[in-house]
Amino acid sequence: MTDWARKILSGDLRALARAATAIENRDPGARDLLRDLAGRGEDVFVLGVTGPPGAGKSTLVDQLARAYRQRGKTVGIICVDPSSVLSGGAILGDRIRMQSHHADPGIFIRSMATRGSHGGLAEATADLVALFRGAGRDVVIVETVGVGQAEVDIARLASVTVVVLVPGMGDDVQAIKAGILEIAGVFVINKADHPGVERAEREIQAMEMLGNRPDGWTPPIVRTVATEGTGIAALLGALEQCPRRLEKEAARPSFAVDHLGIAVKSLDQALRFYTESLGMPLSLREAVPHEQVEIAMLPAGGPRLELLEPTQPDSVIGRFLEKRGEGLHHVALRVPDLAAAVERLRGSGARILGEPRKGAGGHEYVFVHPSSTGGVLLELIQE
Ligand SMILES: Nc1nc2c(ncn2[C@@H]2O[C@H](COP(=O)(O)OP(=O)(O)OP(=O)(O)O)[C@@H](O)[C@H]2O)c(=O)[nH]1
Ligand SMILES: [Mg+2]
């Protein structure tokens, strides 16, 4: 273990601050550190707070941090601003807040604006959460403006996600995409001192009625006036009732084998072996015209076997069969962030074959040449 990691584990705040900066700057040294800290703090409560710009998220996070401190818990706060231009307002506001907590080592705040791709930001956020977990913060709060992918990213990191809305949004509530319903553990109507609270509540309820969550949870709706601290206790209570995403699934999406691709001369013949003789189930059989193959998918405990038969002799798979005969053609890995992975691999001189493409299921994929991977054609996939 590095000295750096040891210092962080012993509660050294300067070492923690240095690590946070290294993560934000994508300093390669942070990689080793994160490896040392990996798997620590699995029971740390990670609270996601998302919602439209100016809804009062930062003010609310401030109040929550205060409340957790009163209960003797240490807090780490990460404010993510995914707008491409550094929006002075939010970050400046957060800076001022940082100063107001300056005297309390029990609260550690970091603000991040976009650097480079959005994917990079999501990755840095996940790394910061891992850092704060490792550093033994009792609660980690991640604030992000709810725009597009950002709120989905936050939900993936968080044990529970709070969606902050405000009265008077009218049709905007409908405009908030249905996805928000799936990630919300609790809805907050902040600025409950403004008119239109009942209406906003009815609109959220109507949305909840239409939605159909796989886990059957109906997020409670809590009214707050963050500037006055009203409703914070109720919110803490609601958070305790809320089902938590287990650390195992909430952890940053990790690498996983998606499938093994096996080139065969005849799907029918191969399926006779895999399904009829061996007894494996078949989940999908379809033609993929742009790859000039017909494929069959066989679930195998998470990963799948993909059998590929060429529809043209001069296709990629056809030529592979001619040169090498039947056999393992590629290994497909699911990666947390395809764009970031491609960027990193290109930077390190790996041979990426073309640009990421969209597959039929909406996933994106790209191939890496065997000369870079240790002799196996590697397909990288992101859902
Ligand atoms: N009246 C009223 N104003 C509030 C309340 N909560 C926050 N505000 C004010 O709303 C403004 C925005 O608050 P922030 O906490 O910065 O909102 P935010 O959602 O973090 O904003 P961004 O991070 O820029 O998206 C500030 O002027 C707050 O003082 C509330 O409950 N009632
Ligand atoms: Mg804010």
Side-chain angles (χ1 to χ4, degrees):
M1 180 181 291
T2 59
D3 224 31
W4 198 1
R6 219 169 285 123
K7 277 188 181 154
I8 288 169
L9 290 176
S10 73
D12 184 331
L13 284 179
R14 299 251 293 280
L16 178 61
R18 206 152 54 81
T21 306
I23 287 171
E24 286 165 31
N25 294 339
R26 311 293 140 72
D27 184 337
R31 288 272 131 234
D32 295 337
L33 180 68
L34 286 168
R35 210 169 302 129
D36 284 344
L37 299 178
R40 287 176 190 272
E42 295 215 333
D43 49 353
V44 168
F45 182 53
V46 181
L47 178 63
V49 177
T50 187
K57 299 178 294 297
S58 296
T59 316
L60 195 69
V61 167
D62 223 33
Q63 294 286 359
L64 286 169
R66 235 175 268 273
Y68 280 122
R69 287 303 290 139
Q70 278 164 10
R71 287 159 176 76
K73 293 184 192 299
T74 56
V75 183
I77 302 175
I78 304 167
C79 306
V80 186
D81 185 349
S83 58
S84 54
V85 187
L86 204 150
S87 69
I91 297 286
L92 186 66
D94 292 333
R95 289 259 159 76
I96 292 164
R97 286 196 304 130
M98 269 186 261
Q99 280 161 9
S100 80
H101 290 302
H102 200 71
D104 180 3
I107 297 184
F108 189 96
I109 308 183
R110 271 296 161 137
S111 293
M112 282 199 303
T114 301
R115 286 169 212 220
S117 67
H118 167 69
L121 187 67
E123 196 184 8
T125 306
D127 286 345
L128 271 187
V129 170
L131 173 69
F132 284 3
R133 277 182 194 284
R137 294 278 130 173
D138 298 317
V139 179
V140 177
I141 308 179
V142 185
E143 172 193 339
T144 181
V145 179
V147 284
Q149 183 62 29
E151 63 214 17
V152 180
D153 288 339
I154 199 178
R156 219 152 48 178
L157 282 172
S159 321
V160 173
T161 301
V162 170
V163 176
V164 184
L165 301 171
V166 290
M169 294 192 306
D171 291 341
D172 288 355
V173 174
Q174 268 82 41
I176 291 167
K177 57 181 187 12
I180 206 107
L181 196 57
E182 262 130 63
I183 66 160
V186 176
F187 279 110
V188 161
I189 303 178
N190 188 43
K191 307 199 183 182
D193 51 332
H194 288 184
V197 180
E198 286 77 17
R199 178 160 173 218
E201 197 167 275
R202 277 197 304 274
E203 279 161 353
I204 297 168
Q205 279 165 346
M207 189 168 74
E208 289 185 333
M209 231 112 86
L210 291 174
N212 191 8
R213 278 173 66 123
D215 63 356
W217 173 251
T218 304
I221 303 168
V222 179
R223 301 177 185 189
T224 61
V225 183
T227 38
E228 288 161 21
T230 311
I232 301 301
L235 176 54
L236 287 179
L239 288 174
E240 251 151 51
Q241 303 296 315
C242 196
R244 294 180 183 193
R245 288 171 61 100
L246 295 175
E247 173 44 27
K248 278 195 184 59
E249 48 172 308
R252 61 182 309 174
S254 58
F255 295 86
V257 173
D258 185 87
H259 65 265
L260 303 176
I262 301 171
V264 300
K265 286 187 196 135
S266 157
L267 262 190
D268 287 332
Q269 195 185 331
L271 283 174
R272 268 200 293 281
F273 170 80
Y274 284 103
T275 60
E276 283 168 38
S277 308
L278 195 56
M280 285 181 77
L282 174 71
S283 65
L284 174 75
R285 180 170 178 166
E286 66 175 10
V288 186
H290 71 279
E291 301 280 8
Q292 297 176 305
V293 287
E294 190 180 340
I295 62 145
M297 283 291 190
L298 308 159
R304 298 164 295 173
L305 296 186
E306 178 185 42
L307 306 175
L308 307 113
E309 177 191 324
T311 53
Q312 300 292 330
D314 64 343
S315 61
V316 173
I317 297 295
R319 287 197 305 268
F320 177 87
L321 283 177
E322 202 182 304
K323 224 166 96 183
R324 312 268 291 269
E326 292 187 307
L328 185 65
H329 174 260
H330 66 269
V331 172
L333 269 186
R334 245 177 291 140
V335 299
D337 186 333
L338 185 64
V342 167
E343 198 180 310
R344 249 195 337 258
L345 288 176
R346 282 224 172 91
S348 72
R351 245 181 101 188
I352 310 275
L353 300 171
E355 291 297 319
R357 275 170 287 175
K358 270 225 159 26
H363 64 281
E364 276 192 82
Y365 67 98
V366 78
F367 283 94
V368 189
H369 194 273
S371 61
S372 301
T373 64
V376 62
L377 179 63
L378 193 62
E379 180 181 3
L380 302 179
I381 299 185
Q382 186 186 358
E383 296 306 327

